[in-house]
Amino acid sequence: MRTQVGILGAGPAGLTLAMLLHREDIDCVVLETRDRAYVEKRVRAGLLEQNTVDLLRELGVAERLDREGLEHNGIYLRHGGVNHYIDMTALTGRHITIYGQQEVVKDLTNALLSRGVPIHFEVGETNLHDLESESPRITYEREGEILELTCDAIAGCDGFHGVSRPTIGEHLTEYEYVYPFGWLGILAEARPATDELIYAWHERGFALYTMRSQSISRLYLQVPADEDIENWPDDRIWHELKTRLGSVNEGKIFDKGITPMRSFVAEPMQYGRLFLAGDSAHIVPPTGAKGLNLAVNDVRLLAPALAGLIKNGSTRRADGYTTAALRRVWRAQDFSNYMTQMLHDLGGGPFQRQLQLARLGYVAHSEAAAHSLAENYVGLPAEPEF
Ligand code: FAD
Ligand code: DHB
């Protein structure tokens, strides 16, 4: 079989790339190891930058997002039992939207299949070959058969645990920091007790109050990295959330899990005709809500690079892909690290806590500091100068 771009992974990066390529009349095939139901149910991020929403609108896949997404104008930073409002829209003229990642994935999957773009779920044994040639290949197993897909280029959108990055590992420099804590996240059938998201600093650790709708709350608690979810019966979760967040509405918990936290960047994001995008190339701690947004931004840059390569044989944009993408990735790494360090119990004792409170007080009361936080949080321009 032959296609122009073979895409590994039906997450936000792979699916958005497929839509962008389809718009350019470039053929692609998406290969995904999991089944469709699993991918569409996997609960992860929920906060979309305006850049991301604008791109989904441009691609004609935002009809449900526009109907069901919750527009937000700011966040509360909570410390000392008081919520301090950061009015992002007043500071930047932009806003953010709450809409679950799995809903974005559903909308993109439906749009692609209805346009006849193939997505093959439940493939196995994906292997990449001839990446230095102009005809790289993917071999994979599907329904017991070994198949081969010859491409002009391959997009490795297969997440942090995929095959793309390890295949070219010897050509990459990797930067990594693993945090000694993770997030316990729940979804509950409960009306959110807040109008905007609350990022809470507390002596017992960080907590985040977010939501999915007027009747579904999403809440997170900082827990030790090696924590076992079995140690967290529902009563303990609610008790801890109330301690750290103040007022919380309880309801039936229907999803809970623990996510480890790391910062990771692989460089370059290209080897031969394989291009990495999204979590396969970089991970940020979730405190800045940047993971999904970065994945979408990578493919915003990658699509024209692939179009240049395939339509005109021009390598100009492809050669610049790593530099353009990584500039934004490192900015997001810094912002995510800043939010993480400001809000979590880092184990540094009273001195560190006082530094965090000084920083929080500054952001809450200085417009210059709040402005800096806000412009990063709502999302920088698609291709910033810095
Ligand atoms: P993914 O969404 O990981 O998609 C990669 C896809 O590739 C997957 O569907 C996978 O099944 C598939 N795949 C894997 N291996 C192969 C293979 N060999 N061949 C073909 N397909 C393959 N970000 C936030 O901003 N806020 C959050 O609260 C948040 N919570 C998260 C919770 C968890 C548990 C995780 C793992 C991530 C979370 N993130 C969060 C990060 C955010 O969800 C990711 O940044 C985003 O999913 C990246 O999209 P992606 O398309 O690059 O990768
Ligand atoms: C959500 C997740 C985040 O990591 C964040 O910073 C804000 C919101 C969410 O799941 O809604």
Side-chain angles (χ1 to χ4, degrees), residues 152-168:
D152 293 329
I154 298 174
C157 303
D158 48 348
F160 189 66
H161 301 288
V163 295
S164 301
R165 191 185 66 256
T167 301
I168 56 169

Side-chain angles (χ1 to χ4, degrees), residues 1-3 6 29 31 120 124-130 135-142 145-151 154:
M1 283 181 299
R2 214 187 182 294
T3 190
V29 174
L31 301 176
H120 299 312
E125 295 175 41
T126 39
N127 282 299
L128 310 182
H129 314 268
D130 303 337
S135 304
R137 292 176 298 121
I138 307 172
T139 52
Y140 59 100
E141 178 272 329
R142 190 176 179 218
E145 252 187 294
I146 299 291
L147 301 168
E148 182 175 286
L149 184 64
T150 305
C151 317
I154 298 174

Side-chain angles (χ1 to χ4, degrees), residues 9 12-13 31-32 34 42 44-45 101 126 157-158 220 278-279 289 291:
L31 301 176
E32 164 63 49
R34 302 288 190 159
R42 192 166 39 191
R44 287 182 168 179
Q101 175 168 330
T126 39
C157 303
D158 48 348
Y220 298 97
D279 277 18

Side-chain angles (χ1 to χ4, degrees), residues 64 123 179 248 265:
R64 198 162 64 93
V123 306
Y179 298 83
V248 172
V265 179

